[in-house]
């Protein structure tokens, strides 16, 4: 069974549309994350949730809204998509404790046309 | 702000040889953790090795080992007996103690030649 699963794997859409990416982890972890990997492969944290509470919000535009219905799920909704939003978005999770390793999903490649 | 620098955008190694990937970081913290992640073409991010800053002993995981030089703020990854499956992007990452935030370097693309 996949530990951290995110859907869809690929998402192609037009500018201005609204889209969501879903993430689920079956590891019983308390903390979940969204990371963005740009076209140059640079990875940067966007959000972190611990037990459904927002912990980190890294100056991400308001068009990006994470939602955590329970601690096993962290979805990412993006409004009014722009060309610059094209990237690979990774969901990740970890157990409590900062030395715990992150388990990553396989990524969602978003292409905005 | 903490930064992580990987000065080698690309490296190559012959199969069965040894290669070292460089990483330096900038921090004023004394409590932190360092990681190397591997990203093969499948895109999956895989933890290779991690090091706690308070530990003097270098971490080792099978063919992977680190050279952690705390004073120099250097954290290089050595891959011994390189295999074709080691070909991937390698990312160095830093995490401050007590923080959930992982800061990544820009990555090094490793090619393994048969």
């Amino acid at each position: 069974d996949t530990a951290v699963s995110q859907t869809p794997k690929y998402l192609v859409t037009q500018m201005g549309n609204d889209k969501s990416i879903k993430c689920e982890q079956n590891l019983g972890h308390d903390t979940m994350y969204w990371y963005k990997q740009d076209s140059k492969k640079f990875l940067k944290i966007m959000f972190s949730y611990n037990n459904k509470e927002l912990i980190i919000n890294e100056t991400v535009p308001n068009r990006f809204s994470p939602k955590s219905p329970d601690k096993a799920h962290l979805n990412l909704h993006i409004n009014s998509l722009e060309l610059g939003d094209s990237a690979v978005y990774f969901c990740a999770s970890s157990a409590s404790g900062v030395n715990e390793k992150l388990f990553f999903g396989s990524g969602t490649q978003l292409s905005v046309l | 702000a903490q930064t992580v620098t990987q000065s080698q955008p690309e490296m190559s190694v012959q199969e069965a040889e040894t290669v070292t990937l460089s990483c330096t970081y900038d921090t004023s913290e004394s409590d932190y953790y360092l990681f190397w992640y591997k990203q093969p073409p499948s895109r999956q991010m895989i933890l290779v090795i991690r090091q706690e800053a308070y530990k003097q002993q270098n971490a080792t995981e099978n063919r992977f080992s680190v050279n952690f030089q705390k004073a120099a703020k250097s954290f290089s990854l050595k891959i011994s007996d390189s295999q074709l499956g080691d070909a991937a992007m390698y990312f160095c990452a830093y995490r401050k103690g007590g923080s959930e935030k992982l800061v990544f370097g820009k990555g090094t693309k490793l090619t393994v030649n048969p």
Side-chain angles (χ1 to χ4, degrees), chain B residues 12-96:
Chain B
S12 63
V13 63
Q14 290 296 124
E15 200 175 0
E17 298 290 306
T18 296
V19 65
T20 299
L21 308 184
S22 300
C23 173
T24 58
Y25 58 94
D26 184 24
T27 185
S28 57
E29 304 292 332
S30 58
D31 179 23
Y32 56 88
Y33 304 84
L34 297 164
F35 307 82
W36 278 98
Y37 278 86
K38 170 186 177 181
Q39 186 179 39
S42 66
R43 222 168 53 194
Q44 186 71 46
M45 293 289 290
I46 303 162
L47 178 67
V48 175
I49 201 165
R50 64 182 165 192
Q51 174 85 40
E52 293 89 344
Y54 63 85
K55 287 188 177 178
Q56 291 187 335
Q57 188 172 5
N58 289 326
T60 299
E61 289 287 342
N62 301 314
R63 297 182 294 107
F64 298 86
S65 61
V66 298
N67 183 4
F68 175 44
Q69 300 289 327
K70 192 170 183 178
K73 296 180 183 173
S74 169
F75 182 62
S76 60
L77 175 70
K78 185 171 86 170
I79 306 174
S80 304
D81 186 25
S82 297
Q83 300 176 358
L84 295 177
D86 294 334
M89 285 289 290
Y90 285 82
F91 294 93
C92 180
Y94 163 98
R95 188 184 225 176
K96 172 183 154 185

Side-chain angles (χ1 to χ4, degrees), chain A residues 9-10 33 35 37 41-43 56 58 90 98-102 104-107 109, chain B residues 33 37 39 43-45 47 50 52 89 91 95 97-102 104-106:
Chain A
K9 290 194 186 312
Y10 299 93
Y33 312 79
Y35 279 82
Q37 186 173 41
K41 302 289 188 183
F42 184 54
L43 268 158
I56 295 174
E58 280 286 302
F90 284 95
V98 292
N99 194 29
E100 294 298 326
K101 74 175 193 178
L102 266 64
F104 282 85
S106 56
Q109 185 165 338
Chain B
Y33 304 84
Y37 278 86
Q39 186 179 39
R43 222 168 53 194
Q44 186 71 46
M45 293 289 290
L47 178 67
R50 64 182 165 192
E52 293 89 344
M89 285 289 290
F91 294 93
R95 188 184 225 176
S99 171
E100 301 286 358
K101 180 180 171 182
L102 200 58
F104 285 91
K106 293 192 174 182

Side-chain angles (χ1 to χ4, degrees), chain A residues 26-70:
Chain A
N26 61 6
L27 298 166
H29 288 165
D30 295 323
T31 308
M32 295 186 73
Y33 312 79
W34 279 107
Y35 279 82
K36 178 181 179 180
Q37 186 173 41
D38 64 22
S39 59
K40 296 183 178 178
K41 302 289 188 183
F42 184 54
L43 268 158
K44 188 173 180 182
I45 191 168
M46 300 173 68
F47 301 103
S48 166
Y49 270 73
N50 182 274
N51 279 320
K52 304 193 296 175
E53 299 293 326
L54 180 66
I55 303 298
I56 295 174
N57 181 343
E58 280 286 302
T59 58
V60 176
N62 291 337
R63 299 182 296 102
F64 290 79
S65 52
K67 295 236 177 355
S68 183
D70 55 61

